[in-house]
Amino acid sequence: MVFNYDVVVVGAGHAGCEAAAAAANLGAQTLLITMDMTKMGQMSCNPAMGGIAKGQIVREIDALGGYSGIVTDSSSIQFRMLNRSKGPAMWSPRAQCDRSLFSLKWREMLENTPNLFFWQDSVVNLLIEDSTVKGVHTALGVDFTAKSVVLTTGTFMNGLMHVGRAQLAGGRSGDMASYGITEQLRQLGLEVGRMKTGTPARIDGRTIDYSKVVAQEGDANPEKFSFLDTVKPLERQLPCYITYTNTDVHETLRAKFDESPLFNGTIKSIGPRYCPSIEDKVRTFADKDQHQLFLEPEGWDTNEYYINGFSSSLPLDVQVSALTKIPGLENARIFRPGYAIEYDYFQPTQLYHSLETKLIRNLFFAGQINGTTGYEEAAGQGLIAGINAARSVQKQECFILSRESSYIGVLIDDLVTKGVDEPYRMFTSRAEYRILLRQDNADERLTPIGIEIGLVKKDREELFKYKQDSVEKLVRLINKTSVTQDQINDLLVSKNTPPINQTRKLVDILLRPQIVIKDLLILESIKNFYNTLPCIQKEILQQADIKVKYSGYIDRERIIANKLSRLEDIRISDCFDFNKLQSLSTEARQKLSKIKPKTIGQASRIPGVSPSDINVLLVFLGR
């Protein structure tokens, strides 16, 4: 029996959930296939969303009409805005989540999405004709035809878990691996590699000595991820806890390095540089006497704790022995050991910016299959892949986000242009335009685009327009208002900033780092305006404050971005033969021929392509 759909999404992790929701919300009849419908959006590793640059990605997903922000806000147990001591370009939201509630909320939202259907099964083959995907074939022998297919297989393709010398096939603890797709795609010419990631042991919170660890509370006035006003910030929060390893812990680990699959040759694939296992940290940073650990609760109604910073694939007895030498964990009992997992991925230079594969039409990849690590990176890719899968069905142009528009654009451009040799993780330092790509203005950057492509719903569109209008009115009010000594000096003195001796423009007062707009509510004109706002007052004040204080920096970075973006307007034909340009370096010809950049801008970011090579291309193209 054959079933027909417009789009089939394989895998219901963070990438798959966003891809399925996006395709269905754009009107495509969409099928989401997963091996276990009780684990949609499963947090396979840490129970948290966001963080440095990752929080910006979640806000961007929300601004475009995706679901990750809403799901996170609906299941959070703690919220923190990281990097508050730095400028707003570095502020990054992060939330601890209730792991079970997070997955339940994802399923609830997906099951209430029109045009979206479900099937529990494992996909073992793709149906391909004339280099075009036509559907999928499952382990139960069912064929699902589709005009587009999105693969979001996570760590499941030929997944192999390691705990010491013990090995177990699986995509994560308690779940079987998937087989068949890797072998088929390799035969069709796609380059396949292996990567490794890992996770720590989970411990019983009842066995933690809380007198020996330091509580880490959430923000006093927590914010949230979604720009919608229907989801509210947390009213109560659970604390995390901080403790440290020590030399006894390190010696216990070192004594058994020969039993570590990372060091004895059992694991040959590459792990994430920025989330190393504890044994990797002890070896790499041999001069350090301690490493910080975070004990993170897994939810409101469970005793399970996640030990952030203690990923390990050492034997169970070594993990337990080392853990019990950590302050606060002397009597700790574990629910399950940490483990490493190896899995298949495909070099992302084999993709277009739309995340469609170059060799097989209408086949899209998203998530760890592209060599990335992290829920947020996966979700961002899933959203773009789902949008483009639906647009392909509807015969529309592919949807691409630029580097100057979003962190998602930076992520995808890095992947398809540079490729990966280790699991890719997003940081603010990877973006050239951090001042433009702030977490507070993700809606300003992307919601108009979401409206244009039809993904943003009416309620979000109306709230966005109200917010933008309110921010502009407030900025204009600040720019035209003047204040006297009597009106403002008491505030200035209380904030340890010099008083004024003559009437000054209010904008000059706000430019002082000690003053924020909220302080100006003592002024009648600002207070009256604030009282007219029926909702999202805090968001409006924050964005107006940033626009005023950083207007010079923002304008300067926008000018630079506009200049460089002109290179993105110079198109390169798909059939352009780089090998005929002998003025290019040999490395440039090889790299350009392999990646086939769409624009001069993309060509300029390929490792091994020099500025002189770009000049050669510009001259040849008459520019």
Side-chain angles (χ1 to χ4, degrees):
M1 191 170 186
V2 178
F3 301 89
N4 304 309
Y5 291 90
D6 292 326
V7 176
V8 167
V9 178
V10 181
H14 300 264
C17 287
E18 286 290 0
N25 280 322
L26 288 176
Q29 294 292 297
T30 304
L31 178 69
L32 178 59
I33 302 179
T34 174
M35 291 195 286
D36 189 344
M37 284 189 61
T38 67
K39 295 179 180 177
M40 292 181 179
Q42 176 80 344
M43 292 177 144
S44 304
C45 197
N46 64 312
M49 288 289 282
I52 306 301
K54 293 167 172 280
Q56 282 86 332
I57 290 177
V58 177
R59 295 219 92 190
E60 290 175 353
I61 292 168
D62 183 77
L64 282 166
Y67 288 174
S68 287
I70 299 170
V71 172
T72 300
D73 291 337
S74 300
S75 57
S76 292
I77 60 177
Q78 187 194 93
F79 184 95
R80 295 178 68 223
M81 185 67 75
L82 307 181
N83 283 339
R84 274 288 194 187
S85 62
K86 301 179 181 179
M90 304 295 287
W91 297 354
S92 300
R94 185 181 190 270
Q96 291 293 137
C97 295
D98 184 308
R99 184 190 299 275
S100 298
L101 190 57
F102 186 92
S103 184
L104 287 171
K105 185 63 181 178
W106 254 121
R107 179 164 177 171
E108 175 193 329
M109 293 197 69
L110 292 177
E111 287 192 357
N112 285 281
T113 298
N115 305 315
L116 182 54
F117 306 92
F118 308 92
W119 183 258
Q120 184 169 288
D121 202 347
S122 175
V123 171
V124 294
N125 280 109
L126 302 175
L127 306 177
I128 297 173
E129 297 176 13
D130 300 324
S131 299
T132 302
V133 72
K134 300 293 185 179
V136 301
H137 178 74
T138 75
L140 289 177
V142 183
D143 285 348
F144 295 96
T145 66
K147 298 168 186 173
S148 292
V149 172
V150 183
L151 283 185
T152 68
T153 50
T155 59
F156 281 77
M157 288 195 303
N158 293 318
L160 182 63
M161 295 178 287
H162 302 265
V163 181
R165 298 188 184 277
Q167 296 181 349
L168 184 66
R172 62 181 166 229
S173 181
D175 293 306
M176 60 184 179
S178 65
Y179 303 96
I181 295 176
T182 294
E183 293 71 22
Q184 180 187 18
L185 293 180
R186 182 187 283 117
Q187 289 179 356
L188 292 170
L190 271 75
E191 179 186 346
V192 184
R194 293 281 279 178
M195 281 189 174
K196 167 261 173 189
T197 189
T199 193
R202 309 303 199 270
I203 59 175
D204 188 337
R206 295 171 298 180
T207 63
I208 297 173
D209 184 346
Y210 294 98
S211 68
K212 296 182 179 180
V213 296
V214 177
Q216 183 185 51
E217 305 288 348
D219 288 350
N221 297 298
E223 298 181 36
K224 57 191 181 72
F225 279 97
S226 180
F227 290 96
L228 292 175
D229 61 345
T230 50
V231 183
K232 304 302 179 185
L234 284 169
E235 294 184 357
R236 69 182 182 97
Q237 304 182 68
L238 289 179
C240 296
Y241 298 91
I242 298 173
T243 186
Y244 295 86
T245 63
N246 51 50
T247 53
D248 286 346
V249 175
H250 299 176
E251 286 306 313
T252 301
L253 297 171
R254 283 195 190 98
K256 297 294 183 178
F257 272 2
D258 61 323
E259 295 187 39
S260 168
L262 286 178
F263 303 148
N264 63 21
T266 304
I267 292 178
K268 297 180 173 63
S269 49
I270 302 169
R273 176 187 300 271
Y274 302 104
C275 189
S277 66
I278 187 62
E279 52 263 40
D280 224 355
K281 284 192 281 190
V282 168
R283 184 181 68 170
T284 303
F285 305 103
D287 58 319
K288 302 292 185 184
D289 291 333
Q290 63 178 22
H291 294 285
Q292 191 174 47
L293 305 175
F294 297 89
L295 308 181
E296 301 175 345
E298 297 257 344
W300 294 110
D301 302 311
T302 178
N303 293 314
E304 190 170 359
Y305 273 73
Y306 176 93
I307 316 174
N308 194 332
F310 207 83
S311 293
S312 180
S313 57
L314 283 162
L316 172 60
D317 62 323
V318 181
Q319 291 188 41
V320 172
S321 179
L323 280 171
T324 55
K325 292 180 173 62
I326 297 170
L329 305 184
E330 292 88 351
N331 299 305
R333 298 290 184 93
I334 71 170
F335 286 163
R336 50 195 166 108
Y339 61 88
I341 182 169
E342 293 184 284
Y343 57 94
D344 294 339
Y345 82 100
F346 292 88
Q347 187 60 244
T349 52
Q350 300 171 105
L351 305 175
Y352 296 115
H353 278 81
S354 63
L355 297 182
E356 182 186 19
T357 62
K358 294 175 179 177
L359 286 180
I360 303 168
R361 288 185 295 275
N362 301 333
L363 177 62
F364 298 81
F365 289 172
Q368 284 178 289
I369 191 174
N370 291 335
T372 63
T373 181
Y375 308 145
E376 304 83 1
E377 289 89 343
Q381 294 171 68
L383 180 73
I384 302 305
I387 290 170
N388 283 315
R391 289 174 72 86
S392 174
V393 169
Q394 295 156 0
K395 308 300 181 186
Q396 295 177 301
E397 287 188 3
C398 61
F399 173 72
I400 295 172
L401 290 176
S402 64
R403 294 182 73 91
E404 63 266 25
S405 73
S406 60
Y407 275 95
I408 297 174
V410 172
L411 163 68
I412 292 175
D413 185 63
D414 279 354
L415 292 174
V416 305
T417 301
K418 301 174 183 177
V420 293
D421 56 11
E422 63 187 30
Y424 179 101
R425 181 179 180 181
M426 179 54 72
F427 293 101
T428 51
S429 59
R430 295 193 190 272
E432 303 93 318
Y433 313 113
R434 285 178 291 180
I435 296 175
L436 301 181
L437 306 184
R438 307 183 311 276
Q439 58 85 30
D440 68 279
N441 74 341
D443 57 341
E444 183 178 57
R445 292 183 277 118
L446 298 176
T447 298
I449 299 174
I451 294 169
E452 182 181 342
I453 66 174
L455 194 58
V456 166
K457 296 176 182 176
K458 197 67 178 176
D459 58 341
R460 183 184 294 276
E461 179 180 355
E462 290 174 353
L463 184 65
F464 166 72
K465 290 178 178 177
Y466 159 73
K467 178 187 174 185
Q468 293 304 105
D469 181 60
S470 299
V471 169
E472 290 170 9
K473 286 179 179 177
L474 181 53
V475 171
R476 285 199 300 269
L477 178 61
I478 290 167
N479 280 309
K480 75 178 186 181
T481 300
S482 297
V483 290
T484 65
Q485 300 96 306
D486 291 342
Q487 289 177 299
I488 204 71
N489 275 348
D490 286 347
L491 170 66
L492 298 181
V493 171
S494 72
K495 294 291 184 177
N496 296 316
T497 183
I500 60 175
N501 54 20
Q502 62 183 18
T503 300
R504 298 288 297 272
K505 285 287 187 182
L506 188 55
V507 65
D508 295 330
I509 303 299
L510 187 56
L511 287 174
R512 300 187 183 194
Q514 300 91 343
I515 306 298
V516 295
I517 286 183
K518 192 173 182 181
D519 297 327
L520 304 181
L521 292 176
I522 62 170
L523 302 173
E524 199 68 27
S525 59
I526 304 300
K527 184 178 180 181
N528 289 340
F529 177 83
Y530 180 80
N531 289 335
T532 66
L533 302 175
C535 63
I536 60 170
Q537 293 98 330
K538 185 176 181 179
E539 291 88 342
I540 291 167
L541 292 190
Q542 183 184 82
Q543 193 162 69
D545 190 76
I546 292 170
K547 279 181 174 289
V548 172
K549 286 182 181 294
Y550 295 90
S551 60
Y553 297 102
I554 293 169
D555 292 343
R556 185 173 63 184
E557 192 156 284
R558 171 53 63 194
I559 291 170
I560 296 171
N562 288 340
K563 284 181 178 179
L564 292 176
S565 69
R566 293 171 194 165
L567 294 177
E568 305 296 339
D569 297 330
I570 304 175
R571 308 288 298 177
I572 302 174
S573 169
D574 290 340
C575 57
F576 189 91
D577 185 3
F578 295 100
N579 287 313
K580 71 182 179 182
L581 295 184
Q582 293 303 308
S583 299
L584 293 172
S585 67
T586 300
E587 183 180 7
R589 290 198 302 273
Q590 292 172 345
K591 295 285 183 67
L592 291 165
S593 297
K594 178 180 180 181
I595 295 174
K596 293 182 172 57
K598 294 284 191 179
T599 68
I600 291 292
Q602 185 191 359
S604 71
R605 295 187 293 274
I606 297 174
V609 177
S610 69
S612 62
D613 293 320
I614 295 302
N615 284 333
V616 169
L617 290 174
L618 287 170
V619 169
F620 186 85
L621 293 171
R623 306 299 288 264

